[in-house]
Amino acid sequence: MSDASELLSATGTTPEQVYTPQEQPGWPKGNVGTLDEYRKRYKQSIEDGDVFWDKAAKSTLKWTIPFTTIRSGGFEDGDVSWFHDGYLNACENAVDRWALKNPKKTAIIWESDEPGQHLHISFSELFKQVCLVANVLLSFGVRKGDVVAVYMPMVPEALYAMLACARIGAVHSVVFAGFSADALRDRINDAQCKVVITADQGVRGGKRSQLKKITDEAVAECPCVERVLVFQRTGDVLATPFHAGRDRWWHEEIAKQRPYCPPTLVNSEDPLFILYTSGSTGKPKGVLHTTAGYLLGAALTVRDVFDVHSDDVFGCMADVGWITGHTYICYGPLLNGATTVVFESMPTYPNPGRYWLTVDTHKITQFYTAPTAIRALRRLGDAHVAPYKLDSLRVIGSVGEPINPEAWIWYHEQIGKSKIPIVDTYWQTETGSIIVSPLPRVTPTKPGSATLPFWGIEPAILDPTTGQELKGNDVTGVLCLKRPWPSMARTVFGDHSRYLDVYMKPYKGYYFTGDGVTRDKDGYYWVRGRVDDVINVSGHRLSTAEIESALILHPRVAEAAVIGVNDDVTGQAIFCYVVLKETPAEAVSTLSTSVARMPHPDGPDGLKRMTQELVQQVRQHIGPFATPKRIVISPDLPKTRSGKIMRRILRKVANGEIKSTQEEEISKLGDLSTLADPGIVAVLIAKVHS
Ligand code: WTA
């Protein structure tokens, strides 16, 4: 965090263009009517929070035993609880309510990888399938509070698995199917999962991934695992290893079960799920969400940020392996009784019109994706959008990283036909649901700004150095929140002190997001990105420390420093500086540009091979989505006399802010007097830019 001030000073200026909401003929009345209504309700949610949340929780969720206590605890001890004497069941709220009322209504539309192959699953079918899986889990001995790992492709069964856990009070830990065996193993062991749910293979972009083989590799080092339940996505049994003692086929197990399973009584504060996310240190954190507060955040944001009405078709293009998939594919839409789309494919398969074909085919009303996809599609050209009507859309959303104004405007004009409101939604795994966003047809928008806070969210901007709150408008600092909100994470699984250290202790009395932010002259929030050692690649959160740990595992690596570099499509990309163990000692002590240009002892081929090995090392330890963009093998890293790596130098050199050793270029690096060996700067510049 020491670099926070420097990172924030690099932020751009804010364009002034404002887009005012327009009413469209034939659209249903908005769930929030006007900006005045937003302001009034927001004010109440802050000033009279108990009344606001009491009403919201009672009117939004079905309670088996209603609560009488609204909120207790605070940030300092991390003992926040909401509605804590109430009982309810998440699955009953998401599924049973609608299965009873409107059984034939479509709950899930599955758009498979191949265009034209899709399925409609009704609420009654969803109910039945979830009950069957819940009974399978019970038959495996899973009980309330047990953690079940879910490593699934984008098929409806991934949602069945999550909801089945919720039904019996088990805690799901979904691991994104792009993670490697090592990453899966660590997550399974961390939560001591007895059961892993997976599929034979995944299918995406016409390619198959070997999920079961990866699971086997992971589970081989997980003594806690007793059962692996395998869904047949492709049915390629010859390619799928099966261990009869431990493994069970999904279809065989559900065939044995009764299609009804009573929902377990769950306390508001019982855990609903764990989701691992990257932090500033190497080990991923198991962010834990509890039941009622999380559900309330998911339900309310879908209703108000996306203006969902009961006949809507909600199309969130994320993966269930990330928080966006949890909240906006699974829980949020279903809690509103809306139809949710499970999209197995990718935006460019079989061509860059795939999203728009999907929108038209299923008459999607809310479309939600990430800036990286928008930027990539914009690059590929408007011709891929032109054939589609896109006239079912009422709200289009963006999430995962700041959206640059050019991408925003393209999204607005090409996809929104200059009339559909964009919601640029800011939130995090830890916040559970959206915390800063415009409301469609209500909030005037500015491209690149997430605009205003959601109900109950009280942002504070702090000076990163002094920790003082910067009041008023036109201020830049780190983004904190001032009061607990229902869907906030309650702990880090198995490590509450880490939870306190990361979120509660950096600024006493506040929750710290890790992001830098500007509040402009109109009170609008512009999230700038992370001020810690977390980088955001295509909306995927990665810890530089975690990538460094992966690199260090290579027997020839002595040291590594990873930073984020700007990338036109992925937002940021992974740039690694690596120091090898066998760098000749004299090269380190007499650093100069001539050393940098010296042929590497491995020769050019050896160097290429080494670089490939290092890329592979990261992919194997984390997953293919964490593939480094560039690896620079350097004789040393810039360090202070006390041995601290000066990342600011690495960042500026990698980002091309400094390309030569001319004095005025070097001066852009700021004060270098604390560097143990100032010669390293020239070496790095030569390595990166020659
Ligand atoms: C970033 C994803 C700017 C931010 C839901 C945050 C954003 C991190 C936005 C959380 C946005 C997310 N504008 N930045 N609209 N949305 N971020 O946990 O840096 O995967 O801290 O949750 O993504 O990433 P996570």
Side-chain angles (χ1 to χ4, degrees):
M1 224 184 356
S2 55
D3 282 349
S5 316
E6 178 240 328
L7 284 168
L8 288 170
S9 66
T11 56
T13 52
T14 54
E16 277 309 319
Q17 179 83 24
V18 178
Y19 290 74
T20 326
Q22 308 164 22
E23 267 315 311
Q24 298 300 327
W27 285 12
K29 188 170 167 292
N31 290 333
V32 180
T34 60
L35 192 59
D36 276 349
E37 188 187 331
Y38 159 74
R39 290 201 189 283
K40 206 171 115 215
R41 280 168 66 181
Y42 174 72
K43 191 161 178 267
Q44 192 206 17
S45 76
I46 300 295
E47 290 174 3
D48 215 354
D50 282 0
V51 174
F52 180 93
W53 288 117
D54 181 54
K55 193 169 154 217
K58 285 182 178 147
S59 62
T60 311
L61 300 174
K62 175 174 185 257
W63 294 85
T64 320
I65 302 175
F67 58 90
T68 59
T69 307
I70 294 160
R71 180 173 57 86
S72 72
F75 288 154
E76 231 145 279
D77 296 324
D79 57 349
V80 171
S81 73
W82 285 85
F83 321 115
H84 76 208
D85 54 354
Y87 286 79
L88 75 177
N89 183 285
C91 178
E92 189 181 5
N93 268 274
V95 182
D96 302 27
R97 285 195 286 173
W98 325 113
L100 290 170
K101 205 167 120 192
N102 206 348
K104 292 211 177 91
K105 185 179 170 185
T106 301
I108 297 175
I109 296 175
W110 180 55
E111 170 77 9
S112 88
D113 192 46
E114 283 311 314
Q117 292 182 11
H118 37 78
L119 276 179
H120 281 237
I121 294 136
S122 66
F123 272 101
S124 67
E125 183 64 18
L126 173 63
F127 176 77
K128 185 176 141 193
Q129 294 298 331
V130 169
C131 283
L132 289 170
V133 182
N135 282 329
V136 172
L137 293 176
L138 288 172
S139 78
F140 289 171
V142 176
R143 294 293 176 264
K144 188 174 169 189
D146 289 347
V147 184
V148 175
V150 178
Y151 185 66
M152 289 284 273
M154 286 296 289
V155 289
E157 285 73 13
L159 273 62
Y160 303 166
M162 294 163 75
L163 293 163
C165 290
R167 193 159 191 89
I168 62 170
V171 181
H172 54 74
S173 166
V174 182
V175 180
F176 171 55
F179 274 113
S180 66
D182 289 6
L184 176 61
R185 172 201 63 203
D186 293 349
R187 286 156 176 76
I188 293 172
N189 282 332
D190 187 65
Q192 289 291 296
C193 303
K194 281 194 293 194
V195 172
V196 181
I197 306 179
T198 189
D200 50 359
Q201 296 176 316
V203 185
R204 196 162 175 265
K207 296 202 186 89
R208 292 186 177 192
S209 55
Q210 304 301 329
L211 297 183
K212 178 58 167 55
K213 280 191 184 150
I214 298 171
T215 303
D216 282 359
E217 209 185 303
V219 170
E221 293 172 36
C222 301
C224 48
V225 173
E226 294 165 10
R227 282 270 171 270
V228 177
L229 183 66
V230 191
F231 171 69
Q232 287 188 343
R233 165 61 185 91
T234 63
D236 188 348
V237 279
L238 292 178
T240 308
F242 194 81
H243 303 275
R246 182 197 69 196
D247 300 346
R248 297 287 182 271
W249 291 116
W250 175 294
H251 60 280
E252 287 180 6
E253 291 307 304
I254 63 170
K256 297 177 194 162
Q257 300 301 331
R258 173 189 174 205
Y260 179 75
C261 170
T264 296
L265 193 63
V266 169
N267 182 273
S268 294
E269 284 297 329
D270 276 332
L272 177 61
F273 66 87
I274 302 172
L275 187 58
Y276 287 84
T277 190
S278 298
S280 322
T281 60
K283 194 171 170 270
K285 297 179 288 235
V287 170
L288 184 134
H289 280 285
T290 58
T291 304
Y294 170 80
L295 296 178
L296 186 56
L300 284 186
T301 48
V302 162
R303 191 190 73 191
D304 295 341
V305 174
F306 290 97
D307 193 39
V308 159
H309 291 63
S310 64
D311 288 334
D312 283 351
V313 178
F314 198 95
C316 170
M317 299 295 114
D319 190 287
V320 282
W322 306 114
I323 191 70
T324 308
H326 280 59
T327 309
Y328 298 104
I329 296 175
C330 185
Y331 290 105
L334 295 177
L335 286 166
N336 280 279
T339 300
T340 188
V341 176
V342 172
F343 179 73
E344 189 183 36
S345 196
M346 55 203 287
T348 48
Y349 182 78
N351 61 57
R354 183 60 189 276
Y355 273 171
W356 322 127
L357 171 72
T358 307
V359 168
D360 277 4
T361 308
H362 303 301
K363 304 255 170 292
I364 289 175
T365 40
Q366 283 80 11
F367 179 81
Y368 196 24
T369 190
T372 183
I374 300 168
R375 287 192 295 263
L377 295 172
R378 173 175 177 261
R379 269 193 166 189
L380 293 164
D382 302 349
H384 297 290
V385 188
Y388 303 100
K389 297 225 287 271
L390 305 179
D391 57 353
S392 54
L393 292 171
R394 283 202 336 267
V395 182
I396 53 180
S398 169
V399 60
E401 52 173 319
I403 177 163
N404 47 313
E406 302 74 35
W408 194 103
I409 289 164
W410 183 84
Y411 200 30
H412 174 70
E413 290 175 351
Q414 290 296 317
I415 310 308
K417 310 296 177 204
S418 300
K419 64 179 191 199
I420 293 157
I422 293 183
V423 291
D424 172 4
T425 61
Y426 167 76
W427 60 297
Q428 315 177 292
T429 304
E430 296 85 343
T431 68
S433 54
I434 294 162
I435 59 166
V436 181
S437 172
L439 302 185
R441 288 189 280 162
V442 170
T443 316
T445 45
K446 303 183 192 187
S449 167
T451 75
L452 302 171
F454 192 64
W455 315 136
I457 299 296
E458 193 175 7
I461 300 184
L462 269 50
D463 179 311
T465 319
T466 64
Q468 288 297 309
E469 188 174 337
L470 304 169
K471 299 243 165 91
N473 290 341
D474 233 342
V475 289
T476 294
V478 292
L479 177 59
C480 292
L481 301 176
K482 255 174 138 163
R483 62 175 67 232
W485 63 104
S487 68
M488 64 181 279
R490 301 293 195 265
T491 191
V492 169
F493 185 79
D495 199 350
H496 195 66
S497 60
R498 190 164 174 208
Y499 172 80
L500 296 177
D501 288 346
V502 175
Y503 307 109
M504 309 307 176
K505 288 202 179 142
Y507 303 99
K508 198 162 178 265
Y510 297 90
Y511 164 88
F512 173 51
T513 62
D515 283 306
V517 71
T518 298
R519 184 165 51 221
D520 73 9
K521 60 181 176 27
D522 301 319
Y524 273 38
Y525 291 87
W526 299 74
V527 178
R528 304 302 189 181
R530 307 289 308 192
V531 295
D532 51 11
D533 294 325
V534 171
I535 57 178
N536 193 324
V537 180
S538 297
H540 300 324
R541 228 169 111 170
L542 291 160
S543 134
T544 52
E546 201 180 341
I547 304 167
E548 286 160 11
S549 324
L551 290 164
I552 300 270
L553 289 176
H554 191 285
R556 287 186 64 190
V557 173
E559 251 188 318
V562 172
I563 53 150
V565 284
N566 302 329
D567 185 285
D568 285 349
V569 173
T570 58
Q572 284 187 304
I574 302 168
F575 192 112
C576 315
Y577 293 91
V578 173
V579 180
L580 298 182
K581 284 181 183 156
E582 67 271 37
T583 304
E586 66 278 16
V588 181
S589 55
T590 58
L591 289 169
S592 71
T593 37
S594 59
V595 173
R597 295 212 176 90
M598 249 168 48
H600 192 274
D602 288 357
D605 282 352
L607 199 61
K608 201 167 150 212
R609 222 178 15 252
M610 185 68 212
T611 312
Q612 281 164 354
E613 272 180 39
L614 292 173
V615 168
Q616 202 43 41
Q617 176 79 30
V618 177
R619 289 170 63 99
Q620 194 196 323
H621 194 66
I622 303 176
F625 65 96
T627 304
K629 183 177 182 183
R630 186 149 176 218
I631 292 186
V632 166
I633 297 178
S634 163
D636 200 3
L637 298 172
K639 290 193 194 124
T640 61
R641 273 179 220 104
S642 55
K644 191 174 172 318
I645 297 172
M646 290 177 77
R647 287 173 181 274
R648 147 171 79 91
I649 296 176
L650 296 174
R651 216 177 276 131
K652 290 194 170 173
V653 172
N655 272 306
E657 285 175 50
I658 320 288
K659 286 189 174 151
S660 80
T661 47
Q662 280 167 356
E663 212 165 296
E664 72 267 28
E665 286 264 297
I666 296 276
S667 70
K668 288 193 219 155
L669 287 172
D671 182 12
L672 298 180
S673 61
T674 54
L675 264 183
D677 183 351
I680 184 67
V681 175
V683 176
L684 288 172
I685 293 171
K687 286 264 172 205
V688 175
H689 296 292
S690 61

